[in-house]
Amino acid sequence: MIDERMYQLGSEPNAIRALFAYGLARKAEIGAEKVFDFSLGNPSIPAPGAVREAVLDLMADPAGTVHGYTPAQGDLGVRSTLAESINRRFGMEAQATNLYLTAGAAASLSISLRALASPGSEFIVVAPYFPEYRVWIEEAGCVCVEVPARKSDFQLDLAAIEAAVNNQTKGVIINSPNNPVGVVYPADSLRGLAEVLQAKQRLYGHAITVICDEPYREIVYDGLDVPYLPALYDNSIVCYSYSKSLSLPGERIGYIYVSERMDEADRVYTAVCGAGRALGFVCAPALFQQVIKRCVDTPADVGAYALNRAALTSGLAALGFEFIEPQGAFYLWVKALEPSAEAFAERAKAHELLLVPSTSFGCDGWVRIGYCVSPETIKASMPAFAALAAEYRKA
């Protein structure tokens, strides 16, 4: 009567969202100010003023223009504006016909994987990784291959990736700045990845595509540059979302950029259009297509996240916690105070600290703390972190 695979997914929801739902219930019980919810990457910073102005201005336009259907792949003028921005910022030669507008990065990744997939194909993910990658890869009829990052700093382990690539490898998902760790992969590392994949393409005689998952591109610290992978490796697809840069996670707007330098780029783009059709991801929200056209180069408010990062890292360092200093995104990757991340996260809940265990991301021994919260939440949480650490010192 039903698809048992879908039943399994529905009965075992994403652990991050399950923790978020627990937090909502707990806040209703004891008060929001008493629950320190670091579970979800839900930006606390308001959307830039330019977004509000664009929405209000657009609402004066005819309803058919603002709320009507666009072409399946998105409004041509919007896609042209996005292509111009990509070319201006990254030195590419993108055209409107290289872009497909989507309802956020989740839709972008699902479409891209389905466009590239053939039964039994393999896609490599670098662990720790966003857990829905596996769901989307397997739903496309493919195999998710986990390759651990370097243990010392969670950067790419090029030798491990090289060993994992075989004749069945169809692609590699690269997420930089990374969720959950916050590392940014430097240009030298990405050039090394390009060399590895180019050699494997020659060996196996087929393209290996890098899918660049980039919702955090604009959220980096200390003037760090995020290399643009399509400029380093021709067979690249970018999946972008405005959820984080413009604080619009609930509006679901983003795009797929099929690099014009790809092998058979026109055929790949046509397959993207076909996958969007098959999955029902057509005509992204029309109002916000026009909003991003007007706000395409509006900067993200990184300063507020930088202050949160400083408050959280200094506070936890003083309490003796170990962590990876985040270079981008808004997550802190903290070493659990016992081998089991899940046991540690459960113990933290007794102090109303909602931390996502690293088992959700394909490894053990760590937790992810999302610091896209109010500064008051971070400050108020420190006694709870201190009490948690004290419990382990007594044990």
Side-chain angles (χ1 to χ4, degrees), residues 13-24:
N14 179 300
I16 302 168
R17 291 193 174 274
L19 188 61
F20 176 64
Y22 168 86
L24 291 176

Side-chain angles (χ1 to χ4, degrees), residues 65 173 262 301 354:
T65 302
I173 298 179
M262 286 193 76
D301 185 3
L354 305 188

Side-chain angles (χ1 to χ4, degrees), residues 336-355:
L337 298 180
E338 61 177 287
S340 171
E342 290 190 345
F344 178 68
E346 277 300 311
R347 202 160 175 177
K349 283 166 76 174
H351 298 274
E352 309 301 343
L353 292 164
L354 305 188
L355 319 177

